Amino acid sequence: MKKNQLGQSDLYVSELTLGCMSLGTDTQKASEIINQALDTGINHLDTADLYDFGMNEEIVGDALKGKRDQVILTTKVGNNFDKAKKDWFWDPSKEHIKEGVKESLRRLKTDYIDFYMLHGGTIDDPIDESIEAFESLKKEGVIRAYGLSSIRPNVIREYVSRSTIDGVMMQYNMLDRRPEEEVLDLLHENNISVLARGPLAKGMLSNSAVKQIEKKGQDGFLGYSFNELKLIQQTIAEQFNNEPSFNALALKYVLQHPAVATAVFGASSISQVTDNTNFNTSKTLTDETYEGLRQITKPMKYAKHR
């Protein structure tokens, strides 16, 4: 599988990333899913300290025993949580970031994290303090690179101008084209990579699109009505059936923009990993197909407060 440089770091991530949030709490099953992903050429796993209140990191750490050197490992910080009470609050302070990384290292059973992200962010955060924490961890060799997980353009712009982030994770798919309007070009111009999460739009752009639209699209999705979602699915099925699958089409769409280094998909079964990897990622969409998809979906902008 093709690998892309993450920002200006020395990290090279596969064009597809396994997002580990959906792995569940069955350690054996999760390990099998991770192994399947690695066998297909995926080298990048994404988790977060908050997922299952630390258990997700523990499961990923167990699955990577003896394989740590084969993987680019990403996790996130910023949610100060109490596992016993299953409660948390937003905390982007330097103190919490530096304490949080110690706990993540322990749960992941590793002595370094490849890519460490702030798991959210607001314009009212002590941004310079957060940046100072990440820079300190990078200098200490605890992390190799850092970034931001956010869909807030105003926050992203602050980090672009004030930090040395190498990547930003954000929701991006052919139904949610908001990043195209405000941040993709900005990040590309500054050599900052995008990690596109939600590329299948809750499964509504997957091989099971019909079922998922009926299940999750009854109240619409962003600016699309239920009927519009059904029409888009029907149009794709009729006009763009030269691709191996709906999954392939959706994943290739987000990978088409030069800012995007990897598409992050979740999986709760081996079959879902197979569905998302059973195509040649390095074979891009034709210009005609790419523009055709853009014609049947909507350009969108984030709310002004973002």
Side-chain angles (χ1 to χ4, degrees), residues 3 132 149 226 266 305:
K3 296 178 176 61
E132 185 179 341
S149 178
F226 175 61
H305 72 276

Side-chain angles (χ1 to χ4, degrees), residues 172-174 196 199 249-257 260 262-263:
Y172 176 43
N173 55 63
M174 71 173 84
L249 195 64
L251 292 165
K252 286 185 179 186
Y253 180 88
V254 299
L255 289 169
Q256 198 84 355
H257 195 286
V260 178
T262 186

Side-chain angles (χ1 to χ4, degrees), residues 40-285:
T40 65
I42 288 173
N43 78 335
H44 185 214
L45 303 183
D46 170 72
T47 181
D49 58 359
L50 187 62
Y51 297 165
D52 291 317
F53 297 97
M55 181 177 275
N56 194 266
E57 285 186 328
E58 292 177 0
I59 287 173
V60 171
D62 287 339
L64 292 182
K65 286 179 182 177
K67 303 172 185 175
R68 177 65 182 93
D69 61 345
Q70 302 173 29
V71 172
I72 302 297
L73 187 56
T74 288
T75 192
K76 311 180 194 75
V77 68
N79 294 287
N80 198 328
F81 63 89
D82 185 318
K83 183 176 181 179
K85 295 180 179 179
K86 293 191 177 349
D87 192 19
W88 72 93
F89 60 92
W90 178 239
D91 186 357
S93 67
K94 180 177 181 179
E95 180 182 11
H96 174 63
I97 292 170
K98 299 204 78 172
E99 284 301 312
V101 75
K102 294 176 185 177
E103 291 301 306
S104 285
L105 291 170
R106 177 184 61 79
R107 288 187 290 261
L108 290 165
K109 302 169 184 66
T110 184
D111 56 5
Y112 70 98
I113 290 166
D114 297 295
F115 190 55
Y116 202 35
M117 281 189 284
L118 187 66
H119 200 177
T122 75
I123 202 67
D124 298 319
D125 289 347
I127 293 175
D128 288 331
E129 181 182 327
S130 300
I131 292 170
E132 185 179 341
F134 286 109
E135 290 287 355
S136 176
L137 292 174
K138 187 176 176 181
K139 186 177 294 185
E140 294 167 17
V142 177
I143 65 175
R144 296 172 65 187
Y146 71 96
L148 179 70
S149 178
S150 177
I151 60 169
R152 297 178 181 270
N154 59 353
V155 176
I156 292 170
R157 291 188 199 102
E158 292 299 316
Y159 276 84
V160 169
S161 64
R162 295 156 71 173
S163 75
T164 62
I165 58 171
D166 284 298
V168 177
M169 177 176 282
M170 64 185 70
Q171 178 170 292
Y172 176 43
N173 55 63
M174 71 173 84
L175 294 178
D176 184 357
R177 292 173 49 196
R178 293 175 297 178
E180 295 174 0
E181 294 296 308
E182 298 188 48
V183 293
L184 292 188
D185 290 342
L186 170 69
L187 294 172
H188 184 55
E189 290 163 5
N190 285 275
N191 297 309
I192 298 169
S193 295
V194 171
L195 301 88
R197 64 173 176 82
L200 303 180
K202 300 181 178 180
M204 292 185 286
L205 293 173
S206 72
N207 297 340
S208 59
V210 173
K211 177 182 176 181
Q212 294 305 320
I213 289 171
E214 289 289 341
K215 182 178 179 181
K216 300 175 182 177
Q218 289 287 339
D219 295 325
F221 178 74
L222 295 175
Y224 298 94
S225 68
F226 175 61
N227 287 333
E228 285 176 320
L229 292 171
K230 291 198 296 182
L231 180 60
I232 288 170
Q233 184 278 327
Q234 292 166 3
T235 304
I236 291 174
E238 293 169 1
Q239 297 184 14
F240 304 99
N241 56 14
N242 57 318
E243 290 295 329
S245 66
F246 264 65
N247 292 57
L249 195 64
L251 292 165
K252 286 185 179 186
Y253 180 88
V254 299
L255 289 169
Q256 198 84 355
H257 195 286
V260 178
T262 186
V264 185
F265 69 87
S268 56
S269 67
I270 287 178
S271 63
Q272 288 177 341
V273 175
T274 302
D275 285 345
N276 287 319
T277 56
N278 194 24
F279 69 98
N280 183 356
T281 58
S282 61
K283 185 179 179 182
T284 60
L285 298 175

